[in-house]
Amino acid sequence: MNVSVVGSGYVGTTIAACFADLGHDVRAIDVDEEVVATLNQGEAPIYEPGLEDLLEAQAGDRLQATTDYAAVRETDLTFLALPTPTDAEGRIDLSVMESGAERLGEALAAKEGEHLVVVKSTVIPGTTGEVIGPILEAGSGTDLGEDIEIAMNPEFLREGTAVPDFLNSQKIVFGTRREDQDGEASGEVGPTHEDRSDRGWALDRLHEVYEPLLASGQTPVVETGLREAEMIKYANNAFLASKVSLINELGNICKVYSVDAYEVADAIGLDDRIGAKFLRSGVGWGGSCFLKDVAALIAAARDRGYEPELLEAAAGVNDRQPERLLELLDEHVECENERIAVLGLAFKPDTDDVRNSRAIEVIEGLQTRGAQVVAYDPVATDSMREHFPDIEYVDSAASALEGASGAVVVTDWDEFEALDAEFDAMGSPVVVDGRRVIARREGLVYEGLTW
Ligand code: UGA
């Protein structure tokens, strides 16, 4: 198939490279000329294991990047993978999506034949049908259900494992218009029982583009409405984020009772109603999605008069974990004017992404205490320099520890597990571990955040 992907961020670049790898001809469209040039050279604009190999193999061949929206006319369907950040009040900010949809609609005005627009970005229920749909209709001069149709296909890939996550999806969700909601609620007339063929070709096209992943019959496909598909993505992320906050809350209680939260988690995880994954307690969740999506869902619920207390509590527990880590450090080190090592800056291992990384709160807390912060991360140093240009960055954990009065572990990079003799360079070593990666041993004052 001929596929276009609007937006070359984490999701857009990954799916563009993967769809090309699966055999489709892909046009990646982005307004940023530098990103487009990078892609056309077969390089990844972001750090993501496995992505560069795919781009190197496909760029100039099955994958071509451009800044020109007219490229969509050569394709059968377009994935909209533009950012949906939150505004100052935590509400979803659709401005980038809206302007992308406008340009897409205008480009489609001159297209012959059917075209499917698939929203990939995470959006509040109702957005695809009631915001994006009408913009496409206005831009293209075509009513939905005629030559243009919309669908919603949320993405569940994780940074750091984005390529294998996409190629081995645990589920694929196809949301298409349903007459009882997306049509009526928007004042638009959706497909009726008589002309279900409109819904038919959108779903057909989705099945076709994903066919290489579905051929084995192993991947469940969920066919649902637009709003359900939009909500499934929020529910997925809100559930996972809340699961971590719940184990963090239990972990905080464990700590004050000298109980090891990891032993507790291992045991409760054996109950298949709970499950063993996402039970690693510590300094909390960061990244581009959990905070933004939980905040947007809270704001969206309040907008409709529902107060989502549990989600607010999950966000609150997460906000407080960095300070809890520093309070444990305070028990052993008077931080003012002391050198304190921060090990790990990325929001999780195998990424250079520091968006909403707990390291930001930890560094701010250390600065409030008057500490001299020395930071180390295997790949995320440059990204963190934009937040904190004035702290010291070093190129190894050993250099960070040298002469430090205390150390905190914020990211669970594998290489930190091997640290041992390096702590002796601290003089009297004190480590507060926010991710359970350092081995407790004699001669090391060691505090685990929840153990
Ligand atoms: C998350 C979801 O897992 C993906 O399914 C989703 O597609 C993505 O958001 C998105 O919406 O784009 P991601 O943010 O890449 O993916 O990272 P995760 O691996 O989910 O980790 C999120 C945070 O939770 C990290 O800071 C991690 O350290 C933390 N975490 C995770 C814990 O503290 N404990 C755990 O047990 C698991």
Side-chain angles (χ1 to χ4, degrees), residues 11 122 155-160 233 236-237 240 244 247-248 277-290 293 347-349 358 412 435:
V11 171
T122 304
E155 188 48 65
F156 303 100
L157 57 79
R158 294 162 295 174
E159 286 180 28
K233 172 63 191 247
N236 219 88
N237 273 359
L240 290 171
V244 176
I247 198 65
N248 280 343
K277 293 187 179 149
F278 264 65
L279 286 181
R280 292 186 60 82
S281 54
V283 70
W285 29 274
S288 65
C289 300
F290 282 1
D293 293 349
F347 85 92
K348 66 173 190 179
R358 304 294 80 197
D412 33 348
R435 296 291 183 188

Side-chain angles (χ1 to χ4, degrees), residues 242-254:
S242 303
K243 187 174 184 186
V244 176
S245 278
L246 181 53
I247 198 65
N248 280 343
E249 174 114 298
L250 293 167
N252 293 338
I253 300 170
C254 285

Side-chain angles (χ1 to χ4, degrees), residues 114-198:
E114 291 169 336
H115 195 91
L116 178 64
V117 176
V118 187
V119 172
K120 250 295 169 205
S121 312
T122 304
V123 291
I124 292 296
T127 306
T128 304
E130 288 151 49
V131 180
I132 305 301
I135 293 176
L136 290 170
E137 288 183 315
S140 65
T142 311
D143 285 346
L144 291 183
E146 292 180 4
D147 273 352
I148 294 186
E149 193 45 271
I150 47 171
M152 203 289 153
N153 167 227
E155 188 48 65
F156 303 100
L157 57 79
R158 294 162 295 174
E159 286 180 28
T161 52
V163 173
D165 281 354
F166 184 84
L167 296 174
N168 309 297
S169 301
Q170 292 187 16
K171 60 178 172 285
I172 295 178
V173 177
F174 294 150
T176 50
R177 287 197 299 154
R178 283 176 171 170
E179 61 188 299
D180 54 332
Q181 26 166 267
D182 304 295
E184 248 179 48
S186 64
E188 303 297 321
V189 181
T192 62
H193 282 293
E194 290 74 49
D195 61 358
R196 268 172 195 251
S197 56
D198 285 339

Side-chain angles (χ1 to χ4, degrees), residues 16-71:
C18 288
F19 278 129
D21 182 58
L22 294 175
H24 299 304
D25 279 319
V26 181
R27 303 278 184 291
I29 297 157
D30 199 283
V31 288
D32 189 326
E33 285 176 11
E34 213 177 304
V35 168
V36 166
T38 307
L39 286 172
N40 283 331
Q41 281 155 23
E43 287 164 24
I46 46 165
Y47 174 85
E48 184 60 43
L51 186 57
E52 198 123 311
D53 291 345
L54 292 186
L55 290 171
E56 212 181 312
Q58 302 299 340
D61 184 16
R62 284 205 294 264
L63 176 66
Q64 283 169 25
T66 175
T67 54
D68 188 0
Y69 272 69

